[in-house]
Amino acid sequence: MKETKSELLQIRLTELEKKVIKDKADLLGITVSDYVKECCVYSNVSEMFINQLHKQEII
């Protein structure tokens, strides 16, 4: 059973930030939504961010 996508996420960006995200998605041949999901949900950046937060807490 495929899960229905019903949630909407809104963010505020500068015009340049929006263009960069769209250009990167276009370069990969995917939608902006898919690009953001790949970068934010499926990448190891989240793990790197969490590790960085833990380093700061130790200091």
Side-chain angles (χ1 to χ4, degrees), residues 27-59:
L27 190 63
L28 294 170
I30 60 177
T31 65
V32 169
S33 290
D34 285 340
Y35 177 77
V36 170
K37 286 185 286 188
E38 286 292 328
C39 291
C40 296
V41 176
Y42 302 113
S43 76
N44 66 351
V45 174
S46 297
E47 182 180 340
M48 292 167 48
F49 178 73
I50 290 168
N51 288 338
Q52 185 64 28
L53 281 177
H54 288 297
K55 286 179 186 177
Q56 291 177 0
E57 290 174 4
I58 295 172
I59 297 174

Side-chain angles (χ1 to χ4, degrees), residues 13-28 30-32 35-36 39:
L13 302 168
T14 65
E15 186 176 333
L16 178 59
E17 291 168 333
K18 182 179 177 181
K19 181 178 178 352
V20 168
I21 291 170
K22 181 167 182 349
D23 288 350
K24 286 182 175 185
D26 288 345
L27 190 63
L28 294 170
I30 60 177
T31 65
V32 169
Y35 177 77
V36 170
C39 291

